[in-house]
PDB file of all heavy atoms in Angstrom:
ATOM      1  N   THR A 578     127.839 112.137  34.628  1.00 98.00           N
ATOM      2  CA  THR A 578     127.117 112.664  35.797  1.00 98.00           C
ATOM      3  C   THR A 578     125.607 112.725  35.587  1.00 98.00           C
ATOM      4  O   THR A 578     124.841 112.632  36.547  1.00 98.00           O
ATOM      5  CB  THR A 578     127.638 114.075  36.169  1.00 98.00           C
ATOM      6  OG1 THR A 578     127.754 114.857  34.974  1.00 98.00           O
ATOM      7  CG2 THR A 578     128.986 113.994  36.857  1.00 98.00           C
ATOM      8  N   ILE A 579     125.174 112.883  34.331  1.00 98.00           N
ATOM      9  CA  ILE A 579     123.757 113.103  34.038  1.00 98.00           C
ATOM     10  C   ILE A 579     122.814 111.962  34.428  1.00 98.00           C
ATOM     11  O   ILE A 579     121.707 112.225  34.930  1.00 98.00           O
ATOM     12  CB  ILE A 579     123.616 113.484  32.540  1.00 98.00           C
ATOM     13  CG1 ILE A 579     123.842 114.989  32.407  1.00 98.00           C
ATOM     14  CG2 ILE A 579     122.280 113.069  31.961  1.00 98.00           C
ATOM     15  CD1 ILE A 579     123.973 115.456  30.990  1.00 98.00           C
ATOM     16  N   PRO A 580     123.193 110.683  34.234  1.00 98.00           N
ATOM     17  CA  PRO A 580     122.230 109.619  34.576  1.00 98.00           C
ATOM     18  C   PRO A 580     121.688 109.739  36.004  1.00 98.00           C
ATOM     19  O   PRO A 580     120.502 109.487  36.236  1.00 98.00           O
ATOM     20  CB  PRO A 580     123.042 108.330  34.373  1.00 98.00           C
ATOM     21  CG  PRO A 580     124.049 108.683  33.328  1.00 98.00           C
ATOM     22  CD  PRO A 580     124.414 110.118  33.619  1.00 98.00           C
ATOM     23  N   ALA A 581     122.539 110.130  36.953  1.00 98.00           N
ATOM     24  CA  ALA A 581     122.092 110.237  38.349  1.00 98.00           C
ATOM     25  C   ALA A 581     120.965 111.253  38.491  1.00 98.00           C
ATOM     26  O   ALA A 581     120.005 111.022  39.242  1.00 98.00           O
ATOM     27  CB  ALA A 581     123.261 110.646  39.252  1.00 98.00           C
ATOM     28  N   ASN A 582     121.058 112.376  37.766  1.00 98.00           N
ATOM     29  CA  ASN A 582     120.008 113.392  37.876  1.00 98.00           C
ATOM     30  C   ASN A 582     118.711 112.897  37.252  1.00 98.00           C
ATOM     31  O   ASN A 582     117.626 113.162  37.768  1.00 98.00           O
ATOM     32  CB  ASN A 582     120.450 114.694  37.203  1.00 98.00           C
ATOM     33  CG  ASN A 582     121.709 115.252  37.838  1.00 98.00           C
ATOM     34  OD1 ASN A 582     122.801 114.764  37.586  1.00 98.00           O
ATOM     35  ND2 ASN A 582     121.558 116.237  38.703  1.00 98.00           N
ATOM     36  N   LEU A 583     118.829 112.169  36.131  1.00 98.00           N
ATOM     37  CA  LEU A 583     117.615 111.662  35.487  1.00 98.00           C
ATOM     38  C   LEU A 583     116.888 110.692  36.407  1.00 98.00           C
ATOM     39  O   LEU A 583     115.667 110.589  36.380  1.00 98.00           O
ATOM     40  CB  LEU A 583     117.957 110.964  34.156  1.00 98.00           C
ATOM     41  CG  LEU A 583     118.422 111.875  33.019  1.00 98.00           C
ATOM     42  CD1 LEU A 583     118.825 111.046  31.807  1.00 98.00           C
ATOM     43  CD2 LEU A 583     117.329 112.877  32.619  1.00 98.00           C
ATOM     44  N   ALA A 584     117.632 109.962  37.225  1.00 98.00           N
ATOM     45  CA  ALA A 584     117.009 108.953  38.089  1.00 98.00           C
ATOM     46  C   ALA A 584     116.814 109.440  39.520  1.00 98.00           C
ATOM     47  O   ALA A 584     116.161 108.757  40.306  1.00 98.00           O
ATOM     48  CB  ALA A 584     117.866 107.686  38.084  1.00 98.00           C
ATOM     49  N   GLY A 585     117.383 110.582  39.870  1.00 98.00           N
ATOM     50  CA  GLY A 585     117.224 111.102  41.238  1.00 98.00           C
ATOM     51  C   GLY A 585     118.145 110.454  42.254  1.00 98.00           C
ATOM     52  O   GLY A 585     118.039 110.712  43.447  1.00 98.00           O
ATOM     53  N   VAL A 586     119.099 109.626  41.791  1.00 98.00           N
ATOM     54  CA  VAL A 586     119.974 108.933  42.742  1.00 98.00           C
ATOM     55  C   VAL A 586     121.110 109.854  43.208  1.00 98.00           C
ATOM     56  O   VAL A 586     121.467 110.804  42.511  1.00 98.00           O
ATOM     57  CB  VAL A 586     120.566 107.615  42.151  1.00 98.00           C
ATOM     58  CG1 VAL A 586     119.476 106.712  41.603  1.00 98.00           C
ATOM     59  CG2 VAL A 586     121.616 107.891  41.096  1.00 98.00           C
ATOM     60  N   PRO A 587     121.667 109.582  44.384  1.00 98.00           N
ATOM     61  CA  PRO A 587     122.747 110.432  44.890  1.00 98.00           C
ATOM     62  C   PRO A 587     124.113 110.030  44.336  1.00 98.00           C
ATOM     63  O   PRO A 587     124.313 108.868  43.950  1.00 98.00           O
ATOM     64  CB  PRO A 587     122.710 110.176  46.396  1.00 98.00           C
ATOM     65  CG  PRO A 587     122.218 108.773  46.533  1.00 98.00           C
ATOM     66  CD  PRO A 587     121.279 108.542  45.372  1.00 98.00           C
ATOM     67  N   GLY A 588     125.040 110.997  44.294  1.00 99.00           N
ATOM     68  CA  GLY A 588     126.382 110.729  43.798  1.00 99.00           C
ATOM     69  C   GLY A 588     127.421 111.567  44.516  1.00 99.00           C
ATOM     70  O   GLY A 588     127.121 112.654  45.016  1.00 99.00           O
ATOM     71  N   ILE A 589     128.645 111.031  44.573  1.00 99.00           N
ATOM     72  CA  ILE A 589     129.756 111.770  45.184  1.00 99.00           C
ATOM     73  C   ILE A 589     130.936 111.732  44.220  1.00 99.00           C
ATOM     74  O   ILE A 589     131.131 110.732  43.515  1.00 99.00           O
ATOM     75  CB  ILE A 589     130.170 111.138  46.538  1.00 99.00           C
ATOM     76  CG1 ILE A 589     131.188 112.008  47.304  1.00 99.00           C
ATOM     77  CG2 ILE A 589     130.757 109.726  46.357  1.00 99.00           C
ATOM     78  CD1 ILE A 589     131.468 111.513  48.734  1.00 99.00           C
ATOM     79  N   SER A 590     131.686 112.826  44.154  1.00 98.00           N
ATOM     80  CA  SER A 590     132.960 112.798  43.432  1.00 98.00           C
ATOM     81  C   SER A 590     134.083 113.003  44.438  1.00 98.00           C
ATOM     82  O   SER A 590     134.032 113.924  45.258  1.00 98.00           O
ATOM     83  CB  SER A 590     133.021 113.880  42.356  1.00 98.00           C
ATOM     84  OG  SER A 590     134.298 113.846  41.726  1.00 98.00           O
ATOM     85  N   VAL A 591     135.079 112.119  44.359  1.00 98.00           N
ATOM     86  CA  VAL A 591     136.222 112.154  45.275  1.00 98.00           C
ATOM     87  C   VAL A 591     137.481 112.216  44.409  1.00 98.00           C
ATOM     88  O   VAL A 591     137.522 111.574  43.357  1.00 98.00           O
ATOM     89  CB  VAL A 591     136.236 110.853  46.132  1.00 98.00           C
ATOM     90  CG1 VAL A 591     137.354 110.872  47.143  1.00 98.00           C
ATOM     91  CG2 VAL A 591     134.910 110.650  46.839  1.00 98.00           C
ATOM     92  N   PRO A 592     138.510 112.967  44.831  1.00 98.00           N
ATOM     93  CA  PRO A 592     139.739 112.994  44.027  1.00 98.00           C
ATOM     94  C   PRO A 592     140.331 111.595  43.858  1.00 98.00           C
ATOM     95  O   PRO A 592     140.378 110.823  44.816  1.00 98.00           O
ATOM     96  CB  PRO A 592     140.691 113.875  44.848  1.00 98.00           C
ATOM     97  CG  PRO A 592     139.817 114.687  45.739  1.00 98.00           C
ATOM     98  CD  PRO A 592     138.587 113.849  46.001  1.00 98.00           C
ATOM     99  N   SER A 593     140.754 111.269  42.622  1.00 98.00           N
ATOM    100  CA  SER A 593     141.326 109.945  42.382  1.00 98.00           C
ATOM    101  C   SER A 593     142.815 110.018  42.081  1.00 98.00           C
ATOM    102  O   SER A 593     143.468 108.998  41.926  1.00 98.00           O
ATOM    103  CB  SER A 593     140.600 109.270  41.206  1.00 98.00           C
ATOM    104  OG  SER A 593     140.741 110.055  40.045  1.00 98.00           O
ATOM    105  N   GLY A 594     143.356 111.246  41.959  1.00 98.00           N
ATOM    106  CA  GLY A 594     144.790 111.371  41.702  1.00 98.00           C
ATOM    107  C   GLY A 594     145.069 112.411  40.647  1.00 98.00           C
ATOM    108  O   GLY A 594     144.170 113.102  40.185  1.00 98.00           O
ATOM    109  N   LEU A 595     146.340 112.516  40.282  1.00 97.00           N
ATOM    110  CA  LEU A 595     146.726 113.495  39.276  1.00 97.00           C
ATOM    111  C   LEU A 595     146.902 112.812  37.934  1.00 97.00           C
ATOM    112  O   LEU A 595     147.509 111.753  37.836  1.00 97.00           O
ATOM    113  CB  LEU A 595     148.040 114.180  39.673  1.00 97.00           C
ATOM    114  CG  LEU A 595     148.000 114.987  40.977  1.00 97.00           C
ATOM    115  CD1 LEU A 595     149.353 115.650  41.229  1.00 97.00           C
ATOM    116  CD2 LEU A 595     146.903 116.042  40.943  1.00 97.00           C
ATOM    117  N   ALA A 596     146.350 113.448  36.913  1.00 94.00           N
ATOM    118  CA  ALA A 596     146.513 112.924  35.560  1.00 94.00           C
ATOM    119  C   ALA A 596     147.555 113.781  34.845  1.00 94.00           C
ATOM    120  O   ALA A 596     148.410 114.389  35.495  1.00 94.00           O
ATOM    121  CB  ALA A 596     145.169 112.932  34.852  1.00 94.00           C
ATOM    122  N   GLU A 597     147.475 113.846  33.538  1.00 77.00           N
ATOM    123  CA  GLU A 597     148.509 114.564  32.787  1.00 77.00           C
ATOM    124  C   GLU A 597     148.576 116.033  33.194  1.00 77.00           C
ATOM    125  O   GLU A 597     147.595 116.600  33.662  1.00 77.00           O
ATOM    126  CB  GLU A 597     148.286 114.431  31.265  1.00 77.00           C
ATOM    127  CG  GLU A 597     147.184 115.288  30.718  1.00 77.00           C
ATOM    128  CD  GLU A 597     145.838 114.592  30.684  1.00 77.00           C
ATOM    129  OE1 GLU A 597     145.570 113.761  31.570  1.00 77.00           O
ATOM    130  OE2 GLU A 597     145.067 114.887  29.780  1.00 77.00           O
ATOM    131  N   ASP A 598     149.714 116.626  33.031  1.00 83.00           N
ATOM    132  CA  ASP A 598     149.959 118.018  33.416  1.00 83.00           C
ATOM    133  C   ASP A 598     149.776 118.246  34.915  1.00 83.00           C
ATOM    134  O   ASP A 598     149.575 119.375  35.354  1.00 83.00           O
ATOM    135  CB  ASP A 598     149.038 118.995  32.659  1.00 83.00           C
ATOM    136  CG  ASP A 598     149.175 118.873  31.153  1.00 83.00           C
ATOM    137  OD1 ASP A 598     150.289 118.545  30.701  1.00 83.00           O
ATOM    138  OD2 ASP A 598     148.189 119.094  30.448  1.00 83.00           O
ATOM    139  N   GLY A 599     149.774 117.186  35.697  1.00 95.00           N
ATOM    140  CA  GLY A 599     149.621 117.351  37.142  1.00 95.00           C
ATOM    141  C   GLY A 599     148.256 117.880  37.553  1.00 95.00           C
ATOM    142  O   GLY A 599     148.122 118.534  38.590  1.00 95.00           O
ATOM    143  N   LEU A 600     147.237 117.622  36.739  1.00 97.00           N
ATOM    144  CA  LEU A 600     145.892 118.122  37.053  1.00 97.00           C
ATOM    145  C   LEU A 600     145.040 117.014  37.672  1.00 97.00           C
ATOM    146  O   LEU A 600     145.170 115.842  37.306  1.00 97.00           O
ATOM    147  CB  LEU A 600     145.224 118.646  35.787  1.00 97.00           C
ATOM    148  CG  LEU A 600     145.874 119.899  35.205  1.00 97.00           C
ATOM    149  CD1 LEU A 600     145.371 120.148  33.791  1.00 97.00           C
ATOM    150  CD2 LEU A 600     145.595 121.103  36.100  1.00 97.00           C
TER     151      LEU A 600
END
Side-chain angles (χ1 to χ4, degrees):
T578 46
I579 275 170
N582 300 77
L583 290 176
V586 307
I589 189 172
S590 178
V591 183
S593 60
L595 298 182
E597 76 268 33
D598 303 329
L600 293 166

